[in-house]
Amino acid sequence: MPLFMDIHHVEGGVRAADVAAAHEKDLATQAPYGVNYLKYWVDEDAGKIFCLVEAPDAEAANTVHAKAHGLVADEIYPISAEG
């Protein structure tokens, strides 16, 4: 399945605990869309969130975010797991 990295930019910073709660909502929502959120990283001060996700396409990955908690990605990039 294709692999994507999405990036969220949150003005004013973000709390890791809030991102963890949003990730749990993604996990609870993802199955009907054929999506698998694998891992995420947070830069609290910069307000940046990075999500690694397997999905049929970028739209499906972003749909899960929209349905789960409304915080859709600002950028989504297809990536390769090789290396």
Side-chain angles (χ1 to χ4, degrees):
M1 181 173 319
L3 195 60
F4 298 90
M5 178 68 68
D6 74 26
I7 304 170
H8 304 259
H9 305 278
V10 181
E11 288 291 322
V14 64
R15 293 182 16 190
D18 293 336
V19 177
H23 179 69
E24 289 301 317
K25 290 178 182 179
D26 287 330
L27 297 179
T29 305
Q30 67 188 6
Y33 301 95
V35 171
N36 184 22
Y37 274 92
L38 300 168
K39 190 167 176 72
Y40 67 91
W41 298 265
V42 180
D43 182 333
E44 290 181 295
D45 294 335
K48 302 234 188 260
I49 306 163
F50 306 87
C51 303
L52 180 64
V53 57
E54 291 177 323
D57 52 46
E59 183 178 332
N62 228 12
T63 296
V64 170
H65 279 331
K67 298 284 185 185
H69 47 71
L71 183 61
V72 296
D74 296 297
E75 304 168 62
I76 302 178
Y77 299 98
I79 61 172
S80 171
E82 297 176 23

